[in-house]
Amino acid sequence: MDFNLTEDQVAFADAARAFSEQELAPAAGEWDLKQIFPKDVIKKAGELGFCGIYTPESAGGMGLSRLDAHVIFEQLAMGCTSTTAFITIHNMATWMIGEFGNSETIERWCPSLVMGEQLASYCLTEPNAGSDAASLKTSARRDGDHYILNGSKCFISGAGDTDVLVVMARTGAEGPKGISAFAVDATLEGISYGRKEDKMGWNSQPTRMITFDDVRVPVSARLGEEGDGFKIAMKGLDGGRINIATCSVGTAQQALDSATAYMQERKQFGKQLAQFQGLQFKLADMATELVAARQMIRLAAFKLDNNDPDKTTYCAMAKRFATDVGFQVCDAALQIYGGNGYIKEYPMERHVRDTRVHQILEGTNEIMRVIIARRLLSEGASSII
């Protein structure tokens, strides 16, 4: 096993780090405070290829691996967690269109999506279908050359400010096999958007409810065949879980770096904080757990890239572990800053707020445990090690 990054991956990391330091980090605090969605900066990310990282080359994307994407997203998250998290969601939705859309849909959307000129939202969650996504009620009824879309989606990142909505809707019977996926023009008649949610974190991206009222969606906008929607959604979420775990690790790495520097500058009782063994131990634990989380994500990405039979289990384990560790490391870094960590002059409180939601979205960490346990308890289950 070779744990070193390739030359290409090092180059990707360097480019992402430079963009993060120049374009994301300097403005992240203002975006959070004023709830600014930096679409112009996301477009700049698109110009570097960061909005279509693993979208197929045939659809205009870079066609990179999920491991490559992880390397890029970690560096971006060190600059702004919230904006990077939206970029990961945009990448997932763009990949779905590029991978499962027909030629007409790909030609309409992908050139502008991969460049960040237009943006995409992913619409799965509903008011009564969160963790139990297979029970969603939004319907798409076939009517000639169109589907009539009715229902609502909630907690949708970018809603009201994006151009295309990747929507999961029921075209058949109850359960996962009755769900289909669509690339829906966000400006179609009958689509309305709720108020922008006032959130604990992730303030540089808007979150709204979307309502569909007899929205006519062309049949050509369907992704895959009827009934493929839930399968497409779950494939997307395997990668999405790696992405959000990566955002946690990138943010936690930045928090650890800042806390390490702070300990060498701050003095109490006549000596540097770095000279107190108790804080040294805290720093050592933070670094150790962060490295473990990063390696677990990279293993899951490798499994996903190689279509391993247990890829979903590994992605669930990585998401559960890394998002928990990421939040804990950020919280520990805030503690090292003491009272300074709690005020907005320093970024620690923002790191804590932004990483907390990662334990909830892309499947709660409780659902991750369900996925892992079901695999272990399945009939005839073999070792996953």
Side-chain angles (χ1 to χ4, degrees):
M1 292 184 289
D2 186 356
F3 289 94
N4 294 314
L5 298 178
T6 66
E7 289 185 8
D8 283 346
Q9 288 167 340
V10 171
F12 295 149
D14 289 344
R17 183 181 305 111
F19 182 83
S20 181
E21 292 174 350
Q22 295 167 15
E23 299 288 348
L24 300 181
E30 181 183 9
W31 295 340
D32 172 71
L33 184 63
K34 298 181 181 179
Q35 299 186 13
I36 296 171
F37 187 33
K39 296 171 73 172
D40 56 335
V41 176
I42 296 173
K43 183 176 182 294
K44 290 181 181 180
E47 292 168 358
L48 294 174
F50 296 158
C51 287
I53 297 173
Y54 50 87
T55 296
E57 290 183 275
S58 59
M62 295 177 70
L64 299 181
S65 70
R66 301 309 174 96
L67 182 55
D68 295 335
H70 151 79
V71 170
I72 293 168
F73 289 144
E74 179 174 351
Q75 296 302 320
L76 296 180
M78 293 179 71
C80 181
T81 315
S82 174
T83 303
T84 302
F86 176 80
I87 292 173
T88 72
I89 295 167
H90 172 83
N91 266 269
M92 179 172 67
T94 301
W95 167 78
M96 287 179 173
I97 294 172
E99 184 73 15
F100 301 104
N102 57 32
S103 59
E104 179 182 342
T105 300
I106 290 172
E107 289 171 9
R108 179 179 183 186
W109 295 112
C110 285
S112 57
L113 291 176
V114 299
M115 291 300 295
E117 295 168 349
Q118 291 186 301
L119 300 177
S121 290
Y122 176 65
C123 307
L124 175 64
T125 301
E126 298 182 3
N128 294 309
S131 295
D132 184 15
S135 69
L136 64 82
K137 300 299 183 184
T138 295
S139 65
R141 177 178 55 82
R142 183 72 179 260
D143 180 28
D145 293 334
H146 289 78
Y147 285 91
I148 309 302
L149 189 62
N150 283 283
S152 61
K153 300 290 182 178
C154 63
F155 304 135
I156 306 303
S157 292
D161 285 272
T162 51
D163 304 282
V164 59
L165 312 172
V166 174
V167 180
M168 303 299 156
R170 187 165 301 285
T171 53
E174 294 296 313
K177 293 183 179 180
I179 296 171
S180 299
F182 301 88
V184 179
D185 185 331
T187 65
L188 287 179
E189 185 178 354
I191 299 177
S192 60
Y193 298 93
R195 63 179 176 82
K196 186 169 74 170
E197 301 290 354
D198 191 10
K199 306 188 298 287
M200 173 180 174
W202 273 28
N203 288 320
S204 75
Q205 54 167 290
T207 301
R208 293 184 176 91
M209 176 177 282
I210 306 176
T211 301
F212 304 97
D213 184 10
D214 287 337
V215 178
R216 295 184 63 82
V217 179
V219 171
S220 61
R222 192 184 64 221
L223 305 179
E225 301 298 325
E226 274 202 9
D228 285 348
F230 193 76
K231 181 171 61 177
I232 292 172
M234 293 304 103
K235 285 183 177 180
L237 285 176
D238 278 343
R241 286 162 184 164
I242 292 174
N243 292 346
I244 211 64
T246 298
C247 287
S248 287
V249 166
T251 307
Q253 184 66 62
Q254 183 61 54
L256 175 60
D257 291 349
S258 298
T260 302
Y262 187 78
M263 283 176 55
Q264 294 170 321
E265 298 168 359
R266 175 78 167 172
K267 289 186 177 181
Q268 289 290 279
F269 304 103
K271 57 183 180 180
Q272 291 179 337
L273 294 185
Q275 294 177 274
F276 290 92
Q277 191 177 63
L279 293 181
Q280 293 174 3
F281 285 0
K282 182 187 288 288
L283 214 59
D285 287 343
M286 292 161 68
T288 301
E289 291 168 9
L290 194 52
V291 168
R294 179 180 295 111
Q295 294 306 322
M296 183 171 280
I297 296 170
R298 292 182 178 181
L299 174 59
F302 174 83
K303 296 288 186 181
L304 185 56
D305 285 330
N306 287 276
N307 199 29
D308 186 278
D310 280 319
K311 58 185 181 296
T312 296
T313 305
Y314 278 95
C315 290
M317 289 193 292
K319 194 271 180 182
R320 201 292 298 167
F321 185 74
T323 57
D324 282 349
V325 165
F327 178 75
Q328 291 160 8
V329 168
C330 290
D331 188 54
L334 187 153
Q335 189 72 15
I336 288 171
Y337 269 70
N340 285 335
Y342 201 69
I343 62 176
K344 291 184 182 293
E345 182 179 350
Y346 298 87
M348 287 302 136
E349 56 84 31
R350 172 164 49 85
H351 294 333
V352 171
R353 289 187 289 106
D354 281 345
T355 55
R356 179 60 183 87
V357 73
H358 297 177
Q359 295 168 298
I360 299 171
L361 50 81
E362 305 289 10
T364 66
N365 284 4
E366 288 74 20
I367 291 296
M368 298 305 99
R369 291 178 173 91
V370 169
I371 293 170
I372 298 162
R374 282 178 177 172
R375 169 62 182 83
L376 293 171
L377 296 170
S378 61
E379 185 176 350
S382 59
S383 172
I384 60 174
I385 299 174

